[in-house]
mmCIF file of all heavy atoms in Angstrom:
data_model
loop_
_atom_site.group_PDB
_atom_site.id
_atom_site.type_symbol
_atom_site.label_atom_id
_atom_site.label_comp_id
_atom_site.label_asym_id
_atom_site.label_seq_id
_atom_site.Cartn_x
_atom_site.Cartn_y
_atom_site.Cartn_z
ATOM 1 N N MET B 297 36.468 25.551 14.801
ATOM 2 C CA MET B 297 36.967 26.677 14.054
ATOM 3 C C MET B 297 36.643 27.976 14.767
ATOM 4 O O MET B 297 37.460 28.880 14.844
ATOM 5 C CB MET B 297 36.433 26.677 12.629
ATOM 6 C CG MET B 297 37.084 25.588 11.739
ATOM 7 S SD MET B 297 36.208 25.427 10.130
ATOM 8 C CE MET B 297 36.655 26.973 9.301
ATOM 9 N N VAL B 298 35.411 28.029 15.200
ATOM 10 C CA VAL B 298 34.990 29.256 15.935
ATOM 11 C C VAL B 298 35.782 29.418 17.211
ATOM 12 O O VAL B 298 36.307 30.502 17.521
ATOM 13 C CB VAL B 298 33.512 29.197 16.225
ATOM 14 C CG1 VAL B 298 33.115 30.243 17.309
ATOM 15 C CG2 VAL B 298 32.689 29.398 14.955
ATOM 16 N N ASP B 299 35.956 28.358 17.980
ATOM 17 C CA ASP B 299 36.666 28.445 19.241
ATOM 18 C C ASP B 299 38.121 28.904 18.991
ATOM 19 O O ASP B 299 38.628 29.756 19.697
ATOM 20 C CB ASP B 299 36.685 27.113 19.961
ATOM 21 C CG ASP B 299 35.295 26.805 20.505
ATOM 22 O OD1 ASP B 299 34.453 27.742 20.543
ATOM 23 O OD2 ASP B 299 35.058 25.613 20.874
ATOM 24 N N THR B 300 38.723 28.307 17.986
ATOM 25 C CA THR B 300 40.097 28.650 17.660
ATOM 26 C C THR B 300 40.191 30.100 17.241
ATOM 27 O O THR B 300 41.131 30.834 17.614
ATOM 28 C CB THR B 300 40.657 27.711 16.540
ATOM 29 O OG1 THR B 300 40.456 26.372 16.962
ATOM 30 C CG2 THR B 300 42.115 28.012 16.275
ATOM 31 N N THR B 301 39.235 30.527 16.435
ATOM 32 C CA THR B 301 39.260 31.892 15.963
ATOM 33 C C THR B 301 39.198 32.851 17.122
ATOM 34 O O THR B 301 40.000 33.768 17.231
ATOM 35 C CB THR B 301 38.019 32.170 15.050
ATOM 36 O OG1 THR B 301 38.069 31.306 13.914
ATOM 37 C CG2 THR B 301 37.973 33.603 14.599
ATOM 38 N N VAL B 302 38.276 32.623 18.066
ATOM 39 C CA VAL B 302 38.087 33.498 19.165
ATOM 40 C C VAL B 302 39.316 33.437 20.070
ATOM 41 O O VAL B 302 39.800 34.462 20.530
ATOM 42 C CB VAL B 302 36.822 33.143 19.918
ATOM 43 C CG1 VAL B 302 36.700 33.925 21.210
ATOM 44 C CG2 VAL B 302 35.600 33.436 19.047
ATOM 45 N N ASP B 303 39.824 32.216 20.352
ATOM 46 C CA ASP B 303 41.007 32.145 21.168
ATOM 47 C C ASP B 303 42.181 32.870 20.609
ATOM 48 O O ASP B 303 42.860 33.594 21.290
ATOM 49 C CB ASP B 303 41.405 30.636 21.344
ATOM 50 C CG ASP B 303 40.426 29.873 22.243
ATOM 51 O OD1 ASP B 303 39.634 30.536 22.927
ATOM 52 O OD2 ASP B 303 40.449 28.651 22.261
ATOM 53 N N THR B 304 42.382 32.667 19.320
ATOM 54 C CA THR B 304 43.486 33.325 18.660
ATOM 55 C C THR B 304 43.357 34.859 18.746
ATOM 56 O O THR B 304 44.295 35.578 19.064
ATOM 57 C CB THR B 304 43.535 32.971 17.140
ATOM 58 O OG1 THR B 304 43.580 31.505 17.062
ATOM 59 C CG2 THR B 304 44.720 33.554 16.477
ATOM 60 N N LEU B 305 42.173 35.306 18.533
ATOM 61 C CA LEU B 305 41.949 36.733 18.572
ATOM 62 C C LEU B 305 42.180 37.317 19.954
ATOM 63 O O LEU B 305 42.910 38.290 20.167
ATOM 64 C CB LEU B 305 40.518 37.056 18.124
ATOM 65 C CG LEU B 305 40.229 38.522 17.783
ATOM 66 C CD1 LEU B 305 41.107 38.938 16.594
ATOM 67 C CD2 LEU B 305 38.778 38.698 17.368
ATOM 68 N N MET B 306 41.625 36.613 20.959
ATOM 69 C CA MET B 306 41.786 37.066 22.328
ATOM 70 C C MET B 306 43.223 37.060 22.750
ATOM 71 O O MET B 306 43.658 38.021 23.396
ATOM 72 C CB MET B 306 40.996 36.149 23.276
ATOM 73 C CG MET B 306 39.499 36.166 23.058
ATOM 74 S SD MET B 306 38.852 37.799 23.438
ATOM 75 C CE MET B 306 37.743 38.086 22.013
ATOM 76 N N ALA B 307 43.940 36.027 22.384
ATOM 77 C CA ALA B 307 45.353 35.968 22.726
ATOM 78 C C ALA B 307 46.093 37.181 22.181
ATOM 79 O O ALA B 307 46.897 37.780 22.870
ATOM 80 C CB ALA B 307 45.940 34.674 22.177
ATOM 81 N N ARG B 308 45.771 37.513 20.972
ATOM 82 C CA ARG B 308 46.516 38.673 20.390
ATOM 83 C C ARG B 308 46.040 39.996 20.934
ATOM 84 O O ARG B 308 46.752 40.984 20.920
ATOM 85 C CB ARG B 308 46.381 38.631 18.851
ATOM 86 C CG ARG B 308 47.038 37.420 18.216
ATOM 87 C CD ARG B 308 47.401 37.668 16.776
ATOM 88 N NE ARG B 308 48.403 38.695 16.684
ATOM 89 C CZ ARG B 308 48.595 39.433 15.618
ATOM 90 N NH1 ARG B 308 47.840 39.270 14.550
ATOM 91 N NH2 ARG B 308 49.546 40.366 15.575
ATOM 92 N N ILE B 309 44.789 40.060 21.379
ATOM 93 C CA ILE B 309 44.321 41.288 21.973
ATOM 94 C C ILE B 309 44.979 41.494 23.371
ATOM 95 O O ILE B 309 45.420 42.553 23.691
ATOM 96 C CB ILE B 309 42.768 41.279 22.163
ATOM 97 C CG1 ILE B 309 42.112 41.398 20.786
ATOM 98 C CG2 ILE B 309 42.330 42.397 23.097
ATOM 99 C CD1 ILE B 309 40.619 41.297 20.841
ATOM 100 N N ASP B 310 45.023 40.405 24.099
ATOM 101 C CA ASP B 310 45.607 40.487 25.437
ATOM 102 C C ASP B 310 47.141 40.667 25.420
ATOM 103 O O ASP B 310 47.735 41.238 26.332
ATOM 104 C CB ASP B 310 45.290 39.208 26.230
ATOM 105 C CG ASP B 310 43.727 39.201 26.470
ATOM 106 O OD1 ASP B 310 43.134 40.253 26.429
ATOM 107 O OD2 ASP B 310 43.242 38.097 26.733
ATOM 108 N N ASP B 311 47.759 40.123 24.350
ATOM 109 C CA ASP B 311 49.200 40.294 24.279
ATOM 110 C C ASP B 311 49.596 40.563 22.824
ATOM 111 O O ASP B 311 49.658 39.665 21.988
ATOM 112 C CB ASP B 311 49.869 39.001 24.791
ATOM 113 C CG ASP B 311 51.386 39.111 24.589
ATOM 114 O OD1 ASP B 311 51.896 40.155 24.224
ATOM 115 O OD2 ASP B 311 52.085 38.092 24.919
ATOM 116 N N ARG B 312 49.815 41.802 22.538
ATOM 117 C CA ARG B 312 50.076 42.270 21.198
ATOM 118 C C ARG B 312 51.293 41.631 20.577
ATOM 119 O O ARG B 312 51.464 41.661 19.360
ATOM 120 C CB ARG B 312 50.141 43.783 21.156
ATOM 121 C CG ARG B 312 48.867 44.487 21.346
ATOM 122 C CD ARG B 312 48.392 45.180 20.079
ATOM 123 N NE ARG B 312 46.946 45.316 20.048
ATOM 124 C CZ ARG B 312 46.230 45.886 20.957
ATOM 125 N NH1 ARG B 312 46.788 46.368 22.064
ATOM 126 N NH2 ARG B 312 44.937 45.994 20.863
ATOM 127 N N THR B 313 52.161 41.091 21.428
ATOM 128 C CA THR B 313 53.361 40.513 20.868
ATOM 129 C C THR B 313 53.229 39.099 20.355
ATOM 130 O O THR B 313 54.058 38.585 19.658
ATOM 131 C CB THR B 313 54.503 40.504 21.939
ATOM 132 O OG1 THR B 313 54.153 39.539 22.927
ATOM 133 C CG2 THR B 313 54.637 41.867 22.586
ATOM 134 N N THR B 314 52.021 38.529 20.658
ATOM 135 C CA THR B 314 51.744 37.194 20.196
ATOM 136 C C THR B 314 51.825 37.181 18.634
ATOM 137 O O THR B 314 51.281 38.062 17.983
ATOM 138 C CB THR B 314 50.399 36.721 20.605
ATOM 139 O OG1 THR B 314 50.192 36.879 21.977
ATOM 140 C CG2 THR B 314 50.136 35.283 20.206
ATOM 141 N N HIS B 315 52.434 36.171 18.090
ATOM 142 C CA HIS B 315 52.558 36.132 16.648
ATOM 143 C C HIS B 315 51.322 35.590 15.985
ATOM 144 O O HIS B 315 50.682 34.703 16.497
ATOM 145 C CB HIS B 315 53.809 35.321 16.224
ATOM 146 C CG HIS B 315 55.068 36.102 16.469
ATOM 147 N ND1 HIS B 315 55.280 37.339 15.837
ATOM 148 C CD2 HIS B 315 56.115 35.901 17.303
ATOM 149 C CE1 HIS B 315 56.431 37.781 16.235
ATOM 150 N NE2 HIS B 315 56.976 36.955 17.101
ATOM 151 N N PRO B 316 51.012 36.097 14.799
ATOM 152 C CA PRO B 316 49.910 35.532 14.043
ATOM 153 C C PRO B 316 50.164 34.085 13.788
ATOM 154 O O PRO B 316 51.276 33.643 13.638
ATOM 155 C CB PRO B 316 49.960 36.324 12.719
ATOM 156 C CG PRO B 316 50.788 37.534 13.008
ATOM 157 C CD PRO B 316 51.724 37.151 14.124
ATOM 158 N N LYS B 317 49.065 33.308 13.731
ATOM 159 C CA LYS B 317 49.241 31.896 13.510
ATOM 160 C C LYS B 317 48.199 31.374 12.528
ATOM 161 O O LYS B 317 47.124 31.854 12.449
ATOM 162 C CB LYS B 317 49.071 31.159 14.866
ATOM 163 C CG LYS B 317 50.113 30.021 15.055
ATOM 164 C CD LYS B 317 49.829 29.240 16.307
ATOM 165 C CE LYS B 317 50.038 27.745 16.059
ATOM 166 N NZ LYS B 317 49.629 26.985 17.210
ATOM 167 N N LYS B 318 48.631 30.360 11.795
ATOM 168 C CA LYS B 318 47.680 29.726 10.822
ATOM 169 C C LYS B 318 47.257 28.395 11.289
ATOM 170 O O LYS B 318 48.136 27.524 11.617
ATOM 171 C CB LYS B 318 48.346 29.654 9.443
ATOM 172 C CG LYS B 318 48.867 31.031 8.936
ATOM 173 C CD LYS B 318 49.165 30.992 7.461
ATOM 174 C CE LYS B 318 49.736 32.295 6.959
ATOM 175 N NZ LYS B 318 48.797 33.448 7.040
ATOM 176 N N HIS B 319 45.983 28.193 11.400
ATOM 177 C CA HIS B 319 45.459 26.873 11.841
ATOM 178 C C HIS B 319 44.686 26.206 10.741
ATOM 179 O O HIS B 319 43.864 26.831 10.112
ATOM 180 C CB HIS B 319 44.480 27.068 13.013
ATOM 181 C CG HIS B 319 45.079 27.800 14.196
ATOM 182 N ND1 HIS B 319 45.580 27.184 15.302
ATOM 183 C CD2 HIS B 319 45.198 29.131 14.441
ATOM 184 C CE1 HIS B 319 46.026 28.067 16.128
ATOM 185 N NE2 HIS B 319 45.771 29.264 15.703
ATOM 186 N N ALA B 320 44.949 24.937 10.557
ATOM 187 C CA ALA B 320 44.129 24.092 9.628
ATOM 188 C C ALA B 320 43.569 22.955 10.460
ATOM 189 O O ALA B 320 44.291 21.979 10.709
ATOM 190 C CB ALA B 320 44.948 23.639 8.467
ATOM 191 N N LEU B 321 42.357 23.038 10.878
ATOM 192 C CA LEU B 321 41.745 22.049 11.724
ATOM 193 C C LEU B 321 41.245 20.801 11.034
ATOM 194 O O LEU B 321 40.789 20.878 9.949
ATOM 195 C CB LEU B 321 40.582 22.704 12.496
ATOM 196 C CG LEU B 321 40.938 23.440 13.800
ATOM 197 C CD1 LEU B 321 42.310 24.089 13.715
ATOM 198 C CD2 LEU B 321 39.860 24.502 14.076
ATOM 199 N N PRO B 322 41.377 19.673 11.695
ATOM 200 C CA PRO B 322 40.929 18.417 11.082
ATOM 201 C C PRO B 322 39.395 18.302 11.012
ATOM 202 O O PRO B 322 38.656 18.738 11.926
ATOM 203 C CB PRO B 322 41.480 17.344 12.019
ATOM 204 C CG PRO B 322 41.568 18.026 13.362
ATOM 205 C CD PRO B 322 41.870 19.434 13.053
ATOM 206 N N GLY B 323 38.898 17.793 9.898
ATOM 207 C CA GLY B 323 37.501 17.559 9.738
ATOM 208 C C GLY B 323 37.287 16.047 9.611
ATOM 209 O O GLY B 323 38.175 15.229 9.956
ATOM 210 N N ARG B 324 36.132 15.663 9.079
ATOM 211 C CA ARG B 324 35.932 14.239 8.892
ATOM 212 C C ARG B 324 34.891 13.972 7.799
ATOM 213 O O ARG B 324 34.012 14.810 7.608
ATOM 214 C CB ARG B 324 35.511 13.556 10.198
ATOM 215 C CG ARG B 324 34.153 13.973 10.654
ATOM 216 C CD ARG B 324 33.855 13.621 12.096
ATOM 217 N NE ARG B 324 32.576 14.232 12.433
ATOM 218 C CZ ARG B 324 31.400 13.722 12.058
ATOM 219 N NH1 ARG B 324 31.331 12.617 11.410
ATOM 220 N NH2 ARG B 324 30.266 14.396 12.374
ATOM 221 N N LEU B 325 35.043 12.834 7.186
ATOM 222 C CA LEU B 325 34.096 12.457 6.122
ATOM 223 C C LEU B 325 32.761 12.066 6.775
ATOM 224 O O LEU B 325 32.716 11.313 7.726
ATOM 225 C CB LEU B 325 34.701 11.251 5.385
ATOM 226 C CG LEU B 325 33.846 10.664 4.176
ATOM 227 C CD1 LEU B 325 33.814 11.715 3.102
ATOM 228 C CD2 LEU B 325 34.525 9.435 3.667
ATOM 229 N N VAL B 326 31.698 12.592 6.194
ATOM 230 C CA VAL B 326 30.376 12.197 6.663
ATOM 231 C C VAL B 326 29.683 11.478 5.514
ATOM 232 O O VAL B 326 29.387 12.078 4.467
ATOM 233 C CB VAL B 326 29.540 13.427 7.102
ATOM 234 C CG1 VAL B 326 28.155 13.006 7.422
ATOM 235 C CG2 VAL B 326 30.188 14.134 8.283
ATOM 236 N N ILE B 327 29.452 10.224 5.741
ATOM 237 C CA ILE B 327 28.921 9.407 4.672
ATOM 238 C C ILE B 327 27.384 9.318 4.703
ATOM 239 O O ILE B 327 26.794 8.925 5.708
ATOM 240 C CB ILE B 327 29.459 7.949 4.702
ATOM 241 C CG1 ILE B 327 30.996 8.010 4.551
ATOM 242 C CG2 ILE B 327 28.809 7.080 3.665
ATOM 243 C CD1 ILE B 327 31.654 6.694 4.716
ATOM 244 N N ARG B 328 26.757 9.789 3.639
ATOM 245 C CA ARG B 328 25.287 9.701 3.564
ATOM 246 C C ARG B 328 24.981 8.956 2.253
ATOM 247 O O ARG B 328 25.795 8.114 1.818
ATOM 248 C CB ARG B 328 24.669 11.102 3.628
ATOM 249 C CG ARG B 328 24.993 11.793 4.990
ATOM 250 C CD ARG B 328 23.935 12.829 5.368
ATOM 251 N NE ARG B 328 24.229 13.492 6.628
ATOM 252 C CZ ARG B 328 25.016 14.576 6.707
ATOM 253 N NH1 ARG B 328 25.572 15.116 5.639
ATOM 254 N NH2 ARG B 328 25.239 15.132 7.923
#
Side-chain angles (χ1 to χ4, degrees):
Chain B
M297 285 171 70
V298 164
D299 290 345
T300 305
T301 299
V302 173
D303 288 346
T304 305
L305 196 59
M306 294 297 133
R308 295 205 64 206
I309 287 176
D310 294 337
D311 177 5
R312 288 249 155 53
T313 68
T314 308
H315 284 300
K317 221 186 139 186
K318 303 195 184 295
H319 303 264
L321 274 32
R324 67 194 173 79
L325 181 65
V326 174
I327 299 175
R328 298 206 181 85

